[in-house]
Amino acid sequence: MVSKTDETCPAAAEDTGEGGERGCDIKREAAHSSGMPLVNGDSGHSHTEAEDHNEKGEGETRADDGNDQEVIVIQDTGFTVKMHAPGIEPFDLQVSPQEMVQEIHQVLMDREDTCHRTCFSLQLEGNVLDNFSELKSIEGLQEGSNLKVVEEPYTVREARIHVRHIRDLLKSLDPSDSYNGVDCNSLSFLSTFTEGDLGENGKRKRKGSELEQIDCTPPEHILPGSKERPLLILQPQTKDAKPLQCLKVLTMSGWNPPPGNRKMHGDLMYLYVVTAEDRHVSITASTRGFYTNQSTAYSFNPKPANPSFLSHSLVELLSQISPTFKKNFAALQKKRVQRHPFERIATPFQVYSWTAPAVEHAMDCVRAEDAYTSRLGYEEHIPGQTRDWNEELQTTRELPRKNLPDRLLRERAIFKVHSDFAAAATRGAMAVIDGNVMAINPGEETKMQMFIWNNIFFSLGFDVRDHYKDLGGDNAAYVAPTNDLNGVRAYNAVDVEGLYTLGTVVVDYRGYRVTAQSIIPGILEREQEQSVIYGSIDFGKTVVSHPKYLELLEKTARPLKIQKHNVLNDKSEEVELCSSVECKGIIGNDSRHYILDLLRTFPPDLNFLPVEGEELPEECTIMGFPKEHRHRLSCLRQELIEAFVEHRYIVFMKLAALQLMQQKANKQEKECPAVTENSGSSPADATESSKALSEDVDPKSKEVILNACKAVGSVSSTSFDIRFNPDIFSPGVRFHDNSCDEVEKQKQLLKDAAAFLISCQIPSLIKDCVDHTVLPMDGATLAEAIHQRGINIRYMAKIVEYVSKSQARQQLDHIHKLGITELITRSAKHIFKTYLQGVELSGLSAAISHFLNCFLSSFPNPIAHLPTDELVSKKKRNKRKPRHLGNVDNTAWASTTPQELWKNISNETKSYFNFTIECESVDQAVERYGLQKISLLREICVKSGIQILLKEYNFDSRHRPTFTEEDILNIFPVVKHVNPKASDAFHFFQSGQSKVQQGFLKEGCELINEALNLFNNVYGAMHVEICACLRLLARLNYIMGDNNEALNNQQKAVLMSERALGVDHPNTIQEYMHLALYCFANGQLSTALKLLYRSRYLLILVYGEDHPEMALLDSNIGLVLHGVMEYDLSLRFLESALTINGKYHGTKSLKVAMSHHLVARVYDSKAEFRSALQHEKDGYTIYKNQFGENHEKTKESSEYLKYLTQQAVALQRTMNEIYKNGSNASILPLKFTAPIMSSVLEQLNVINGILFIPLSQKELENLKAEVHRRQALHDTFRMAEQEDSAEGTGTESVHGKSPAIVETSTAQASA
């Protein structure tokens, strides 16, 4: 089934079924195929340039030329059928031949007038259609066919499905599942600010920019300089937060299951209902439908009541019994259908909220039943219900991937199984820690126990049997699972056929780390020693190898930069390996080749691994490395390895070019420019290109390449190829003496990589932060920025030190604050983890609230409330309970004091990060580093999975503690898993981006649309990457003048960001800003303001006011307020922006000049010309110094100065006239300039980094020629290998004047 984005036909209401999208089509024009061949998902490295595509794709498209056409075009024309359902008028439904019959079922179950039916078949001229057949395979189904909905008899299964569906409909507007983090529900608040949908079908179709009466006054806490940090507004409770109550109770009856004699009358099950009018009713679900019976709570009488109201649907029955139900259910469905589909679709992975309001706990039969049957503890014994996760995960990998439709199906299947597996593993891990799963080795000590639940294997992150004794004990056992997960991620991305990894999920819950893995068939039946045929189970003492494994792993060696090497086993024989020693190969009973324990896929980080007798390079020793770390498993990140190799490649090309230039032979002279030009290309092609170099050239040049290879440490002497040996410096691994030279080289390479991290990567991160190309707003975004550059979090202290010594210290203030916040909250998290391990379930909320009080409250001596004694039985029966891993005194936590906790935090930052924080209490930390408590609270809750009550907390009271036990609502798991990627879609997305950067907007737009289509195919309708795609599309729509479409796409992006990342995620804050701009452009001023206020509130909550992004936000707010003539308010925001810009960009920067100009305009509108002149003069001075007298900006500013001077003089004259002649003065009317909307919009575009530059045809031609020229240079170098196959990308024709576009750094359009 191939599926489409969400532009479904009007009749086909959005579907909330599996994956939540309607299957429709991928419209693929053959046009793309020539310019943009489809790239195989198997390539181990991502392509960044559109050119790479052309060149890589050609070979492949040729490979399957036979079915080339089929790859490109999936022909698809939709048609309309007429649906006849009982009880309602026939209606038309748009369908596509690719769809399955099942999808029509889903649409009917979602439509307002047919949603109460679940048990029906579809019939065409009396023939029942098979649910799983595609519509195109059904004979006689065509445009205008009549499809009949026919009610079918129920079975127990169908009756259960029906009750569950009705319950879902009744709960469809109830947010409690989102707050509780179940079933992939999550929150979204956009509609509370836009009052419904913004798109075409919005309630308010307002044309033009008439100024309707709007109240623009922002709430007090949003004004610049406000010290209030309210929390309640984070999750605004709408007026209809209490959904309409249709029933009081709907639950399974205690009379279930029906006795034998009733079964033979067709009884399937009994329900018990209390209606809103307080009528108690017993209902029988029978094969023919639902009817009321004569049973009561205490007497069983299954005979039908009189009247029995037999109905095929439960909704019809309840509507007859209860008028309130009838009225409210209809209203509820109307509301449900009005909501944007993105508010209803499930997210692929669960998102948890760190705050929640007090929600009433309502009766819910389905929830209760789920908790006790298939879902929890009582291992899933229901036949056909357990899933063989390993089989599913591996089979999806084996699906064909020859052409695009195959690859899409394969990636879709991989993604679906993966998200299901992550959900099941999380549920299982929680059940294990809560003590609801029986161990498979119950006799052993609790730390050593292992569990199997739902075909998933669970183990705890403790050092069992001293396995990691030499590597750091429990600390090593704690990081090993995440290292292993990174290894699994890397091997999965390389995706070699025939090599299998385990499904792996790492869950942190209640202070414990649980690893969940799929089970290799047969592994539980044999000893590990027998099964491992490759690698080592004792860290390198005994080592074995296997030719098949070597062959498979060799395919991964190049993309993962792993060096094939020999190690010595216990008999001192050489064994060849192509991975680290502890990577084990096991052939399962299904004869698949599995690899596991990938914790050392990447080489060790020598900065944190002191080795006797080894000296690190000077760059490292100056910074105080190597440092002793808690464990010896510190690895370099994959991103670092790739950056290092790329860096070395540039060095290699420069060296080769330099030497070739010195040998002035003719042949070299021709090749030279290409050599230097190629330094930007990706190192993955480097090997080929340098081989090409070496094959065609005389011995002299061979020598050149040899020298260059030597200089950069390449493993091959004829081409550039850098690889690492992951076993160097592993304790217990021995190498043969005669490979000594090789080992020394490898050691040097590792030292260079460690030095590269410190001398290149950290400074480049700092530089990006100074330039504000990286704008982290909270801990998560800072960590992400650090990780993208291959730097580990353990370097955080070094980054903070770098910042504090930097010349641009002031411009990096936000990075400094975020760094300190991270150091404090991460250290607190480490302490919280061990703190929680000593707490039993009944004391959990008391313990967490006590910890938060010690961490954040100014109250000097909070007292912990131990669970009351009368609940603790005198005889502690702790023998049976498989809880309390270890013999912890489970009340020790209660004696923690704030002084002690902060002392521990400061020790932890010292010992783990090697950073000294100079504070002994939270108030000192806040004072000294300018932090805010609400942000610290958010960080610790998000990192540890705590959910607190949504209310205003008083952190500064010295008379009562901030938190009570009632404030702790829940503790959630923190889950790490692999994110399978949609490779084809991603390549399209990247090509689209590079097209846009070259100025080909239309082509870029088409590619991005194509990418969106493919993303929807793989991920379903809701995913973080789709969000990025929609944002870029909206921006392109806006630039190309389609404001409505921009609004539509950006609205989806905001909803998706809220749902998939979180309502207060920094990405969501930016999405809100973009949406506000498009709202303003569409004349929806009050909405634009509300969105900007929301954005500002979130940024204040997450970080505080003093952030470079706040300057942009305040400029936006100030401009919009200026547009609606709220001058005083506007000034407050614009002056705040001016201050922040001055701080973060320097007082001489263009941003500050722009801010001065905006402030001057408002003073001009207020007729305060003196202030206006002052600001405009400041701006003028900056422009003059930066650009000189003759630049257009300087001239503009000078013109405006003249105008202001005239206005000021005119005003002064008038004033003088009044003073002189008093009341009978003849006054000339003054011209006051009310702002024009178009000019406000123009300024908004400028500050948001969108500049329209009208280009003439001639300029366009020049631009294209330039792109061509660069392209040609890029390609000459590859000619040796590919005969003229790579075509230039700049061949599109653009007619007339086209708006080219400049994206400035403020706009992270393509984050």
Side-chain angles (χ1 to χ4, degrees):
M1 170 205 109
V2 195
S3 37
K4 184 187 176 237
T5 52
D6 45 21
E7 292 87 46
T8 46
C9 8
E14 306 76 4
D15 155 39
T16 48
E18 286 286 80
E21 84 286 78
R22 289 249 307 123
C24 288
D25 58 342
I26 319 173
K27 301 192 184 65
R28 310 255 21 228
E29 295 87 43
H32 286 196
S33 68
S34 48
M36 182 50 242
L38 307 169
V39 180
N40 244 335
D42 332 340
S43 52
H45 51 270
S46 61
H47 302 260
T48 41
E49 311 275 313
E51 299 87 75
D52 278 16
H53 279 285
N54 280 346
E55 189 249 310
K56 172 118 173 67
E58 287 302 322
E60 287 167 359
T61 333
R62 231 176 296 144
D64 44 48
D65 236 312
N67 55 13
D68 199 333
Q69 240 6 62
E70 167 220 6
V71 176
I72 304 308
V73 187
I74 301 175
Q75 267 310 329
D76 191 347
T77 47
F79 57 93
T80 313
V81 292
K82 208 166 202 57
M83 304 298 304
H84 298 264
I88 57 169
E89 291 296 306
F91 58 91
D92 288 338
L93 183 65
Q94 182 95 24
V95 294
S96 117
Q98 308 297 319
E99 277 177 48
M100 293 198 195
V101 175
Q102 169 137 18
E103 289 172 59
I104 301 186
H105 267 260
Q106 289 289 357
V107 172
L108 294 175
M109 280 163 65
D110 198 61
R111 263 183 74 99
E112 192 183 341
D113 47 6
T114 54
C115 64
H116 55 277
R117 304 187 178 284
T118 59
C119 186
F120 57 87
S121 61
L122 293 171
Q123 298 189 2
L124 176 67
E125 291 160 9
N127 299 323
V128 177
L129 306 184
D130 169 33
N131 262 350
F132 294 102
S133 55
E134 291 191 342
L135 297 187
K136 60 181 179 209
S137 62
I138 297 169
E139 268 181 60
L141 185 64
Q142 65 216 27
E143 178 70 41
S145 293
N146 288 310
L147 279 182
K148 228 176 142 193
V149 175
V150 178
E151 297 173 342
E152 292 289 331
Y154 284 98
T155 58
V156 174
R157 181 172 172 275
E158 284 294 345
R160 276 175 184 275
I161 288 175
H162 185 76
V163 173
R164 179 173 289 261
H165 179 66
I166 300 307
R167 169 270 197 170
D168 285 345
L169 291 177
L170 291 173
K171 277 192 66 174
S172 57
L173 294 179
D174 177 14
S176 56
D177 279 356
S178 304
Y179 289 120
N180 295 332
V182 286
D183 293 343
C184 288
N185 288 306
S186 61
L187 300 162
S188 156
F189 293 109
L190 177 62
S191 52
T192 46
F193 301 103
T194 56
E195 288 151 28
D197 200 341
L198 287 170
E200 300 292 313
N201 49 353
K203 281 182 261 183
R204 303 157 300 144
K205 291 192 176 155
R206 278 206 312 281
K207 283 284 162 276
S209 58
E210 80 276 10
L211 285 174
E212 71 276 43
Q213 281 302 305
I214 47 178
D215 179 20
C216 309
T217 329
E220 201 53 42
H221 59 267
I222 283 176
L223 288 171
S226 160
K227 288 280 172 278
E228 274 182 78
R229 297 284 180 267
L231 189 59
L232 274 170
I233 304 141
L234 176 61
Q235 295 171 341
Q237 301 303 306
T238 43
K239 293 179 277 301
D240 53 315
K242 286 202 62 69
L244 301 161
Q245 195 187 31
C246 300
L247 291 174
K248 284 192 175 162
V249 178
L250 161 64
T251 167
M252 297 291 165
S253 157
W255 298 117
N256 280 320
N261 64 331
R262 288 310 303 169
K263 252 192 192 159
M264 298 166 80
H265 282 82
D267 291 8
L268 302 172
M269 62 181 185
Y270 304 118
L271 303 172
Y272 175 66
V273 169
V274 181
T275 68
E277 297 86 354
D278 237 354
R279 184 174 160 201
H280 295 238
V281 189
S282 286
I283 295 176
T284 302
S286 74
T287 47
R288 295 178 306 150
F290 296 82
Y291 61 83
T292 54
N293 60 39
Q294 295 176 30
S295 299
T296 64
Y298 305 109
S299 71
F300 179 61
N301 180 358
K303 297 266 185 302
N306 190 11
S308 71
F309 300 119
L310 174 67
S311 315
H312 191 264
S313 142
L314 184 56
V315 172
E316 290 169 355
L317 170 68
L318 292 169
S319 297
Q320 294 179 61
I321 298 174
S322 157
T324 316
F325 177 87
K326 185 175 185 174
K327 182 173 113 239
N328 287 357
F329 186 78
L332 189 72
Q333 292 325 306
K334 202 170 229 60
K335 254 196 191 142
R336 178 181 69 88
V337 180
Q338 276 169 2
R339 291 176 71 193
H340 195 285
F342 283 3
E343 294 179 71
R344 307 187 282 150
I345 299 169
T347 56
F349 300 104
Q350 185 65 56
V351 176
Y352 299 103
S353 161
W354 65 278
T355 55
V359 183
E360 281 176 20
H361 191 61
M363 250 188 175
D364 183 338
C365 60
V366 177
R367 183 191 62 217
E369 185 195 17
D370 278 352
Y372 292 120
T373 50
S374 62
R375 294 285 185 90
L376 200 105
Y378 313 88
E379 283 86 359
E380 308 205 339
H381 281 317
I382 302 156
Q385 270 238 341
T386 43
R387 293 170 65 170
D388 184 342
W389 291 110
N390 190 65
E391 188 54 35
E392 287 191 41
L393 287 160
Q394 313 311 347
T395 324
T396 50
R397 291 213 159 269
E398 289 165 348
L399 291 170
R401 41 173 143 176
K402 285 279 189 298
N403 52 32
L404 184 72
D406 280 356
R407 279 200 302 277
L408 287 176
L409 266 173
R410 174 176 184 264
E411 285 176 347
R412 169 97 186 122
I414 290 176
F415 184 73
K416 185 81 185 89
V417 171
H418 238 99
S419 55
D420 289 355
F421 176 69
T426 308
R427 253 200 339 260
M430 290 167 73
V432 163
I433 296 300
D434 289 337
N436 301 330
V437 181
M438 180 82 177
I440 51 176
N441 50 347
E444 306 214 23
E445 182 198 342
T446 39
K447 279 190 176 185
M448 300 170 80
Q449 290 182 346
M450 292 170 278
F451 305 84
I452 289 179
W453 178 86
N454 192 358
N455 279 331
I456 306 173
F457 174 79
F458 297 93
S459 54
L460 299 164
F462 292 108
D463 185 12
V464 183
R465 304 191 178 85
D466 289 341
H467 189 62
Y468 294 104
K469 191 167 131 208
D470 307 337
L471 298 167
D474 277 350
N475 286 317
Y478 187 77
V479 299
T482 45
N483 279 5
D484 180 40
L485 181 68
N486 290 336
V488 171
R489 191 176 286 136
Y491 278 102
N492 279 357
V494 177
D495 211 6
V496 168
E497 258 179 84
L499 187 64
Y500 297 91
T501 56
L502 302 183
T504 308
V505 174
V506 179
V507 180
D508 291 315
Y509 177 62
R510 285 181 52 195
Y512 297 103
R513 172 157 283 182
V514 186
T515 312
Q517 291 170 310
S518 60
I519 302 172
I520 299 178
I523 182 133
L524 297 169
E525 289 122 55
R526 38 188 182 177
E527 282 299 312
Q528 199 175 15
E529 287 81 11
Q530 303 164 354
S531 8
V532 173
I533 57 163
Y534 171 90
S536 159
I537 57 167
D538 47 18
F539 288 106
K541 294 182 190 66
T542 50
V543 192
V544 284
S545 187
H546 188 279
K548 178 69 181 163
Y549 270 102
L550 284 174
E551 176 202 325
L552 286 169
L553 285 166
E554 193 140 8
K555 294 178 186 165
T556 66
R558 171 175 281 163
L560 296 180
K561 321 279 185 285
I562 294 175
Q563 167 69 348
K564 207 172 188 183
H565 56 279
N566 292 332
V567 300
L568 298 177
N569 64 10
D570 47 351
K571 305 188 186 71
S572 292
E573 303 156 346
E574 289 206 359
V575 179
E576 190 175 26
L577 294 178
C578 199
S579 64
S580 65
V581 281
E582 57 282 287
C583 164
K584 304 172 189 39
I586 295 182
I587 298 183
N589 286 356
D590 51 3
S591 357
R592 292 187 178 112
H593 292 75
Y594 292 92
I595 49 170
L596 53 155
D597 287 351
L598 308 173
L599 54 143
R600 284 235 183 108
T601 303
F602 300 110
D605 179 356
L606 294 192
N607 289 329
F608 285 90
L609 190 72
V611 182
E612 275 178 38
E614 296 290 343
E615 270 296 300
L616 283 184
E618 190 187 356
E619 299 98 292
C620 304
T621 47
I622 292 175
M623 299 287 281
F625 290 113
K627 288 202 175 70
E628 193 65 61
H629 200 49
R630 292 208 172 151
H631 54 80
R632 301 181 68 81
L633 291 179
S634 316
C635 296
L636 295 170
R637 293 183 66 86
Q638 186 173 13
E639 297 93 333
L640 184 90
I641 301 294
E642 284 174 0
F644 177 69
V645 172
E646 183 124 4
H647 171 75
R648 279 289 158 108
Y649 175 57
I650 293 173
V651 174
F652 168 80
M653 291 315 274
K654 283 183 179 158
L655 283 171
L658 208 66
Q659 293 178 335
L660 287 174
M661 276 157 107
Q662 286 159 358
Q663 306 177 3
K664 287 265 195 278
N666 289 341
K667 185 168 169 90
Q668 278 74 5
E669 264 181 276
K670 276 185 213 154
E671 240 170 84
C672 189
V675 176
T676 43
E677 188 61 42
N678 200 8
S679 63
S681 132
S682 79
D685 321 320
T687 355
E688 281 83 358
S689 45
S690 31
K691 269 189 199 135
L693 240 167
S694 55
E695 282 155 14
D696 299 4
V697 287
D698 50 51
K700 262 190 182 165
S701 328
K702 278 208 172 134
E703 182 193 335
V704 167
I705 287 159
L706 179 72
N707 293 341
C709 285
K710 238 192 200 137
V712 295
S714 166
V715 289
S716 143
S717 55
T718 53
S719 67
F720 174 84
D721 192 3
I722 283 192
R723 302 194 188 188
F724 292 88
N725 174 345
D727 283 332
I728 301 270
F729 299 124
S730 293
V733 176
R734 298 175 305 144
F735 298 98
H736 201 286
D737 298 344
N738 62 13
S739 61
C740 196
D741 193 29
E742 183 64 22
V743 170
E744 277 313 310
K745 262 194 201 161
Q746 279 293 336
K747 283 185 176 174
Q748 192 49 49
L749 203 56
L750 277 179
K751 290 175 186 172
D752 291 350
F756 171 73
L757 194 154
I758 284 176
S759 60
C760 288
Q761 292 304 86
I762 294 183
S764 93
L765 169 77
I766 302 292
K767 182 185 172 302
D768 287 345
C769 292
V770 174
D771 299 343
H772 301 302
T773 42
V774 173
L775 261 185
M777 295 183 201
D778 69 346
T781 41
L782 178 63
E784 195 182 321
I786 290 176
H787 284 158
Q788 276 170 357
R789 284 157 187 72
I791 307 167
N792 310 69
I793 292 291
R794 55 179 174 268
Y795 287 95
M796 184 66 85
K798 279 287 158 272
I799 294 171
V800 173
E801 277 165 35
Y802 240 103
V803 168
S804 34
K805 290 178 190 149
S806 157
Q807 269 114 22
R809 167 69 181 84
Q810 198 186 356
Q811 280 149 291
L812 292 166
D813 196 35
H814 61 300
I815 304 292
H816 189 261
K817 270 189 208 166
L818 283 172
I820 297 278
T821 306
E822 275 298 88
L823 290 169
I824 291 176
T825 48
R826 279 176 185 271
S827 302
K829 181 186 80 171
H830 296 170
I831 295 163
F832 183 60
K833 183 186 84 191
T834 32
Y835 172 94
L836 268 190
Q837 288 178 4
V839 181
E840 56 178 321
L841 248 176
S842 60
L844 214 50
S845 59
I848 295 172
S849 62
H850 181 61
F851 182 89
L852 290 178
N853 279 328
C854 294
F855 181 41
L856 293 170
S857 174
S858 304
F859 183 61
N861 43 359
I863 298 154
H865 298 283
L866 287 166
T868 43
D869 286 340
E870 61 266 25
L871 290 179
V872 182
S873 84
K874 292 291 172 274
K875 290 192 201 112
K876 279 259 171 79
R877 288 193 304 277
N878 255 356
K879 284 233 171 70
R880 255 191 64 249
K881 283 172 76 180
R883 212 50 291 118
H884 293 313
L885 300 161
N887 42 5
V888 200
D889 164 19
N890 46 17
T891 56
W893 57 267
S895 58
T896 309
T897 63
Q899 296 74 18
E900 186 192 344
L901 176 64
W902 274 91
K903 192 164 174 234
N904 290 344
I905 288 177
S906 132
N907 295 343
E908 179 72 10
T909 46
K910 185 75 193 132
S911 68
Y912 191 89
F913 295 104
N914 196 28
F915 187 82
T916 314
I917 56 165
E918 297 156 26
C919 43
E920 288 156 25
S921 71
V922 68
D923 294 319
Q924 285 182 15
V926 167
E927 192 56 40
R928 188 182 160 81
Y929 299 111
L931 311 176
Q932 49 176 29
K933 291 187 180 181
I934 191 99
S935 304
L936 287 170
L937 174 65
R938 175 179 178 269
E939 290 291 345
I940 189 81
C941 287
V942 170
K943 285 181 174 58
S944 313
I946 304 169
Q947 187 185 51
I948 58 170
L949 180 66
L950 185 70
K951 71 171 206 191
E952 302 308 347
Y953 291 97
N954 179 359
F955 294 102
D956 302 324
S957 160
R958 303 193 60 79
H959 305 297
R960 57 155 56 118
T962 308
F963 301 93
T964 66
E965 320 179 17
E966 301 307 312
D967 295 333
I968 310 298
L969 296 184
N970 211 335
I971 186 154
F972 289 127
V974 177
V975 186
K976 299 181 177 67
H977 54 80
V978 179
N979 269 319
K981 288 275 174 270
S983 50
D984 286 297
F986 190 62
H987 294 325
F988 269 89
F989 184 58
Q990 285 187 317
S991 324
Q993 278 181 317
S994 64
K995 280 275 191 242
V996 171
Q997 278 151 11
Q998 293 165 15
F1000 301 112
L1001 299 188
K1002 202 155 183 305
E1003 291 78 0
C1005 205
E1006 278 172 14
L1007 285 168
I1008 304 273
N1009 260 315
E1010 195 52 58
L1012 182 63
N1013 224 335
L1014 301 183
F1015 276 136
N1016 274 302
N1017 256 293
V1018 175
Y1019 296 141
M1022 173 84 42
H1023 193 274
V1024 181
E1025 283 173 30
I1026 301 180
C1027 177
C1029 210
L1030 285 165
R1031 176 194 332 153
L1032 189 52
L1033 257 186
R1035 205 172 176 85
L1036 288 172
N1037 295 141
Y1038 181 62
I1039 288 155
M1040 289 155 71
D1042 188 348
N1043 293 352
N1044 234 331
E1045 195 50 28
L1047 195 61
N1048 212 345
N1049 281 327
Q1050 187 58 33
Q1051 182 188 11
K1052 290 178 197 164
V1054 174
L1055 285 169
M1056 208 171 289
S1057 183
E1058 287 194 308
R1059 295 282 321 278
L1061 288 167
V1063 288
D1064 56 356
H1065 190 279
N1067 190 64
T1068 309
I1069 300 179
Q1070 292 187 317
E1071 302 296 9
Y1072 263 100
M1073 272 168 71
H1074 294 311
L1075 185 61
L1077 173 65
Y1078 308 147
C1079 274
F1080 187 87
N1082 273 315
Q1084 303 189 4
L1085 309 188
S1086 57
T1087 307
L1089 268 173
K1090 279 186 198 156
L1091 297 171
L1092 287 169
Y1093 290 158
R1094 171 71 172 172
S1095 209
R1096 190 173 208 277
Y1097 164 70
L1098 290 174
L1099 183 48
I1100 292 176
L1101 179 82
V1102 165
Y1103 173 84
E1105 230 176 4
D1106 186 16
H1107 191 279
E1109 192 73 349
M1110 192 57 95
L1112 178 59
L1113 240 174
D1114 282 352
S1115 302
N1116 273 307
I1117 296 177
L1119 267 167
V1120 177
L1121 286 170
H1122 184 198
V1124 296
M1125 300 197 262
E1126 290 276 355
Y1127 301 135
D1128 295 331
L1129 277 175
S1130 169
L1131 274 177
R1132 287 185 71 169
F1133 286 101
L1134 288 176
E1135 281 172 344
S1136 148
L1138 177 58
T1139 320
I1140 298 175
N1141 271 333
K1143 172 174 177 178
Y1144 285 106
H1145 296 276
T1147 45
K1148 304 254 179 322
S1149 73
L1150 297 175
K1151 284 239 172 349
V1152 173
M1154 185 68 194
S1155 273
H1156 276 304
H1157 175 63
L1158 296 179
V1159 173
R1161 287 176 36 147
V1162 183
Y1163 275 124
D1164 170 19
S1165 300
K1166 284 182 68 174
E1168 293 180 21
F1169 299 117
R1170 189 167 290 160
S1171 313
L1173 269 168
Q1174 192 46 56
H1175 280 289
E1176 192 56 45
K1177 265 185 201 145
D1178 293 348
Y1180 173 73
T1181 320
I1182 296 174
Y1183 284 134
K1184 194 168 109 185
N1185 294 341
Q1186 294 266 16
F1187 294 143
E1189 290 279 1
N1190 298 326
H1191 190 273
E1192 164 192 10
K1193 273 282 181 202
T1194 323
K1195 284 181 182 164
E1196 261 177 38
S1197 180
S1198 138
E1199 286 295 308
Y1200 191 51
L1201 271 174
K1202 278 183 200 152
Y1203 159 76
L1204 285 175
T1205 319
Q1206 287 165 4
Q1207 288 287 75
V1209 172
L1211 178 66
Q1212 199 53 51
R1213 273 203 200 117
T1214 312
M1215 298 308 283
N1216 293 347
E1217 178 77 15
I1218 292 174
Y1219 286 134
K1220 206 163 90 195
N1221 298 345
S1223 54
N1224 51 4
S1226 56
I1227 309 171
L1228 287 169
L1230 273 173
K1231 289 199 200 72
F1232 281 123
T1233 47
I1236 311 159
M1237 283 304 154
S1238 58
S1239 79
V1240 175
L1241 185 58
E1242 206 172 292
Q1243 300 291 350
L1244 277 172
N1245 287 335
V1246 172
I1247 61 170
N1248 284 296
I1250 300 175
L1251 304 180
F1252 293 93
I1253 307 175
L1255 289 184
S1256 65
Q1257 189 60 38
K1258 185 161 179 250
E1259 289 166 312
L1260 264 176
E1261 294 308 324
N1262 295 346
L1263 186 73
K1264 271 193 266 173
E1266 175 65 13
V1267 173
H1268 259 305
R1269 194 180 65 74
R1270 290 196 182 169
Q1271 190 72 46
L1273 281 173
H1274 219 138
D1275 290 349
T1276 20
F1277 196 57
R1278 304 218 180 109
M1279 288 305 188
E1281 258 196 2
Q1282 259 134 351
E1283 308 81 38
D1284 313 314
S1285 66
E1287 297 170 11
T1289 38
T1291 51
E1292 293 81 348
S1293 62
V1294 183
H1295 298 295
K1297 281 193 162 216
S1298 130
I1301 176 176
V1302 180
E1303 291 265 357
T1304 62
S1305 64
T1306 33
Q1308 287 115 3
S1310 41

